Amino acid sequence: MNINDIEWNWLLDNQLLETIEAIQKKQEDQAQAICQLDAEFDQLKKKYDASHISIEYTPVGSILWKLDSEHEITDSEVDFLRKNSLKYLAEQSLEIQKFKHLKIKYKADQFPSYFPEESPLYSILKKLESEADLNEKDIEFIQQQKLLETLAIVNQKQAIKQAEFAELKEKYKSTAYLDSSVFSPLYPILKSLDENKKLSSLDKKFLEDNKLNETLNIVLENEQKEQFNELKIKYKATGSQDSLPSSHLHKVLKKVDANMKLIDQDINFLKNRKLMDTIAISIEKYADHLKSTIKTGDELSQTDIDWLKQNGREDILVFAKEKHFVNLKSKYDVSGYTDQGVSTGLYPILQKLDKGNRLEEIDVAWLIENKLFYNSYYSDYTFYNTYNRNYSNKIFIAYHTIEATFYEQEYQKTGNQWKLPNASSHWRKANEPKRALKLTENINFNSIRENKLKSALLTTRGGAFRDIDQLDQAETCARKAIEYQPNSHHPYTLMGAICFERGQFSEGEHWFEEAIQRGASPKDQDAEMKQIVKNAKDENKRKKVVEYLLSKDPNRYSWAKSYLKKPKNSGQ
């Protein structure tokens, strides 16, 4: 206790100088001790990362001293640290205590005291405590530190594990592997196998590389058994006593799991074992698989269609048709067209086109009536923009492609050259004039007796040349066609169109008049005019043709006015 002023004065009055000197010496020693203690506490705070904590009036100082001198920390002191936001220090104190106890247990208490996280020994002792396997580096560390009693404990444990390893090798047919060390990669593999744990692909490769085929077969058999058991649970077949992977039930369940359709033999097999829930699941699973297949855009096979009908899943058949109809409308650029359903109307027609089947006349009439059958190459600009703004000409092209192919094949089968003009005409309408030219390029006209056939072939060939803007070749064909059949209006119409393409309007009118005198309809002339105007590549050329037609007959050619207002592709 401190001496107060009255007491100091009393000592002085009584001349107790030695007592005064002794008291002063004691106070100096105490002050020095406190300074030394403060310095030690500062070092402890730094060591335990607690520099931000004031320890003058808290138990933290004594706790740190206990930690550093390896004294036991009480539960109340740990709670104090946690409650005062020193959780990390509480956890560290517990680790230090654990390390201390492990060192005592495994005869390593002479090892210098380190923080657990800084000491390799701590991780080694924790492995010993948890019966985990030590590696060669762990053993080497113990030897280097001359922890002989610890090493004896390790050797004893190693001996037990070596005996276990030998038993496992015997049990799992791997005695051919000569390495008996517990550090061998085979030891943890066999332990995992014995504990019914799944082996990794690397584990299996090790067995394969070391030619431990019997062990590998055991692994694979165990995996199959496990898979079989999981499948039985998954597909409600646990009522069956079959447990071998080689059983037929396993094969059937693998089919179900792989979204495969069960055959009648499989169904009867399940019925005989009264696995009706399994049958119901297999049907539902395959039906769902077919529905997913449909969603990806694939079509059902006839076998699948029959299966759905047999199992009462007409709902998926309807879904398949609706999905197919949507895909076909997208494919042929008629997605905006609304139809009442898949049983009538557009869907059957698109199915035929998509399969490459020819349309009947009633199908073509339906398409025309619903404004879905046209070719932008030939149709007039106003009609296209007014009625078919959302649709392309893919249906028209598909139809004529099928027809052209049909007539080509008929020609190849029969040798009937009258099929060639038909095929050529359809190739032109399918926007394939080069195919039309190739079809008629090697014809030996000297071997053809009928002038009418010669004229037809030359006319369609000339039309194809005109389509690709080779007007000189087109004119040559047209004039030869006229020579062969002067009374046919077709080559005259072609000549009229060629002249208009060149801007020779008066001469073109002459040829069109000649065509009308030979049976051509004025509508044919109008169609040619529309084609010329629509497909003119030069705007000045188009303007001249339009102005000529409007000056000649503004009512008849009123459709041409739209080309004076808009450029060629503005509405397409």
Side-chain angles (χ1 to χ4, degrees), residues 452-517:
K452 184 177 180 181
L453 176 56
K454 291 180 182 180
S455 179
L457 288 168
L458 286 165
T459 301
T460 188
R461 184 168 174 78
F465 275 124
R466 178 194 158 205
D467 293 339
I468 61 174
D469 206 28
Q470 294 184 14
L471 300 182
D472 291 344
Q473 292 91 326
E475 181 180 351
T476 299
C477 290
R479 289 188 181 277
K480 284 185 180 180
I482 291 172
E483 291 178 12
Y484 284 123
Q485 196 179 17
N487 294 325
S488 172
H489 63 82
H490 297 294
Y492 292 91
T493 301
L494 176 58
M495 278 300 301
I498 292 169
C499 290
F500 264 85
E501 294 270 12
R502 291 170 170 166
Q504 300 166 343
F505 304 136
S506 298
E507 189 175 349
E509 290 285 0
H510 163 73
W511 286 109
F512 280 131
E513 287 299 326
E514 292 291 326
I516 290 172
Q517 290 176 14

Side-chain angles (χ1 to χ4, degrees), residues 52-53 58-60 63 74-91 93-94:
H52 60 290
I53 303 297
T58 69
V60 176
I63 294 173
T74 65
D75 292 340
S76 60
E77 288 172 326
V78 172
D79 289 339
F80 171 82
L81 292 174
R82 286 175 175 162
K83 290 177 180 177
N84 287 272
S85 302
L86 294 170
K87 183 178 179 181
Y88 72 95
L89 195 56
E91 300 301 326
S93 67
L94 292 175

Side-chain angles (χ1 to χ4, degrees), residues 325-455:
F325 189 18
V326 170
N327 291 338
L328 288 178
K329 287 201 292 184
S330 176
K331 180 176 180 178
Y332 291 96
D333 280 354
V334 289
S335 298
Y337 181 79
T338 56
D339 204 333
Q340 293 180 348
V342 296
S343 58
T344 59
L346 182 59
Y347 181 52
I349 294 174
L350 293 182
Q351 281 182 296
K352 289 180 183 179
L353 291 175
D354 207 52
K355 292 177 181 177
N357 296 334
R358 300 178 72 198
L359 299 187
E360 298 177 12
E361 290 184 6
I362 192 171
D363 296 328
V364 176
W366 188 94
L367 290 170
I368 293 172
E369 181 182 353
N370 288 273
K371 300 180 177 62
L372 294 172
F373 193 71
Y374 78 100
N375 187 346
S376 62
Y377 188 77
Y378 291 100
S379 64
D380 69 88
Y381 182 89
T382 305
F383 178 84
Y384 174 77
N385 282 281
T386 304
Y387 298 102
N388 296 286
R389 187 167 300 159
N390 297 321
Y391 308 134
S392 76
N393 59 343
K394 289 186 177 180
I395 290 177
F396 186 91
I397 290 175
Y399 166 77
H400 285 291
T401 299
I402 293 169
E403 290 297 306
T405 303
F406 168 77
Y407 283 111
E408 269 196 44
Q409 292 172 347
E410 286 295 302
Y411 167 69
Q412 292 168 359
K413 290 178 185 177
T414 65
N416 184 352
Q417 291 180 310
W418 272 109
K419 305 297 180 181
L420 293 177
N422 286 329
S424 176
S425 175
H426 284 295
W427 279 129
R428 289 185 62 208
K429 292 176 182 178
N431 290 353
E432 294 283 355
K434 291 184 179 179
R435 292 284 298 267
L437 289 172
K438 186 173 180 61
L439 190 65
T440 57
E441 66 182 354
N442 294 320
I443 295 175
N444 183 0
F445 283 90
N446 294 328
S447 65
I448 300 175
R449 294 182 179 181
E450 293 182 75
N451 286 339
K452 184 177 180 181
L453 176 56
K454 291 180 182 180
S455 179

Side-chain angles (χ1 to χ4, degrees), residues 149-295:
E149 290 183 280
T150 307
L151 185 60
I153 295 172
V154 170
N155 289 336
Q156 184 181 6
K157 288 181 175 289
Q158 297 290 85
I160 295 171
K161 289 181 178 180
Q162 279 185 327
E164 179 190 35
F165 186 20
E167 290 177 3
L168 290 173
K169 288 205 291 184
E170 187 72 31
K171 181 177 180 180
Y172 293 107
K173 314 290 185 185
S174 56
T175 52
Y177 188 76
L178 299 179
D179 189 354
S180 61
S181 169
V182 293
F183 301 119
S184 162
L186 180 60
Y187 181 44
I189 291 175
L190 296 182
K191 282 182 66 178
S192 296
L193 182 57
D194 201 53
E195 294 168 2
N196 293 321
K197 294 178 180 178
K198 289 186 177 180
L199 299 190
S200 68
S201 58
L202 291 177
D203 294 336
K204 295 176 190 174
K205 189 175 187 306
F206 176 86
L207 297 175
E208 185 178 350
D209 291 344
N210 287 275
K211 299 181 179 179
L212 299 173
N213 297 327
E214 289 184 278
T215 310
L216 186 59
N217 288 336
I218 293 173
V219 171
L220 297 177
E221 185 177 350
N222 287 348
E223 287 181 350
Q224 288 181 333
K225 286 180 180 178
E226 181 64 25
Q227 180 199 50
F228 187 16
N229 188 54
E230 290 173 357
L231 291 175
K232 286 172 69 175
I233 295 171
K234 184 176 182 179
Y235 297 111
K236 298 186 178 180
T238 52
S240 172
Q241 299 301 314
D242 293 343
S243 59
L244 296 177
S246 59
S247 71
H248 187 64
L249 178 60
H250 188 207
K251 296 175 183 176
V252 171
L253 295 182
K254 285 199 294 184
K255 280 186 180 181
V256 176
D257 201 54
N259 293 320
M260 295 175 63
K261 178 175 57 181
L262 299 186
I263 60 176
D264 292 340
Q265 180 184 352
D266 297 331
I267 297 294
N268 292 331
F269 174 84
L270 295 174
K271 284 181 179 178
N272 291 335
R273 283 155 180 75
K274 298 180 180 180
L275 298 174
M276 306 309 293
D277 287 341
T278 308
I279 295 174
I281 293 172
S282 71
I283 292 173
E284 189 66 27
K285 197 167 190 298
Y286 189 66
D288 289 342
H289 167 69
L290 292 180
K291 194 167 185 178
S292 298
T293 301
I294 294 165
K295 288 179 180 178

